Amino acid sequence: MSSIPLTLSEKLSCLAEVHELISGKWKLQIIAVVGNNHFSFRDIQKRIPGIRTRLLLKELRELTNRGLLNQIVTSCSDEKISYRLSAKACGLERVIDSVIDWHFNRFS
């Protein structure tokens, strides 16, 4: 239950905004994998079985553009890019954990 008193219309509007941010087959999985870590593209790809390179690039770009992931560029001789959850995405891990708990409580 939300601790903020909202009308039904406000709740539906919030849900539509959240859905727009995280919709897609792979976005929640990417967020769950990245967590509070710094992972390179290859690290993320290894941890998500079945995701294709092109699709992962697209999803990472969308999550970055939507402000849910930060891209960290390491200034070395060969530039390395890693990804980390942004401050805007803070708290999504708890939501994902709650959804997983709900799933196991309902469907196991």
Side-chain angles (χ1 to χ4, degrees), residues 44-61:
I44 297 168
Q45 192 173 36
K46 285 178 197 171
R47 287 170 170 78
I48 303 176
I51 192 165
R52 295 178 185 218
T53 301
R54 195 170 175 184
L55 194 52
L56 180 55
L57 281 169
K58 176 185 170 284
E59 298 284 73
L60 289 171
R61 191 176 303 117

Side-chain angles (χ1 to χ4, degrees), residues 11 21 27 30 41 58 66 70 74 76 88 97:
K11 288 179 184 180
L21 282 173
K27 285 186 180 70
I30 292 167
F41 177 89
K58 176 185 170 284
R66 293 174 182 176
N70 291 326
T74 307
C76 294
K88 185 176 180 178
D97 288 343

Side-chain angles (χ1 to χ4, degrees), residues 67-70 84-91:
L68 296 176
L69 287 182
N70 291 326
R84 182 184 182 126
L85 290 184
S86 69
K88 185 176 180 178
C90 184

Side-chain angles (χ1 to χ4, degrees), residues 3-92:
S3 59
I4 303 168
L6 299 172
T7 66
L8 178 59
S9 177
E10 291 168 327
K11 288 179 184 180
L12 294 176
S13 178
C14 288
L15 288 171
E17 288 179 38
V18 169
H19 184 263
E20 177 66 26
L21 282 173
I22 60 173
S23 65
K25 180 176 179 179
W26 302 104
K27 285 186 180 70
L28 286 177
Q29 292 180 46
I30 292 167
I31 291 167
V33 164
V34 172
N36 288 322
N37 303 298
H38 288 229
F39 281 130
S40 70
F41 177 89
R42 294 283 177 229
D43 292 333
I44 297 168
Q45 192 173 36
K46 285 178 197 171
R47 287 170 170 78
I48 303 176
I51 192 165
R52 295 178 185 218
T53 301
R54 195 170 175 184
L55 194 52
L56 180 55
L57 281 169
K58 176 185 170 284
E59 298 284 73
L60 289 171
R61 191 176 303 117
E62 286 179 12
L63 288 167
T64 301
N65 290 340
R66 293 174 182 176
L68 296 176
L69 287 182
N70 291 326
Q71 245 185 12
I72 294 119
V73 180
T74 307
S75 302
C76 294
S77 56
D78 81 19
E79 195 173 272
K80 184 178 179 185
I81 297 172
S82 61
Y83 296 89
R84 182 184 182 126
L85 290 184
S86 69
K88 185 176 180 178
C90 184
L92 273 176

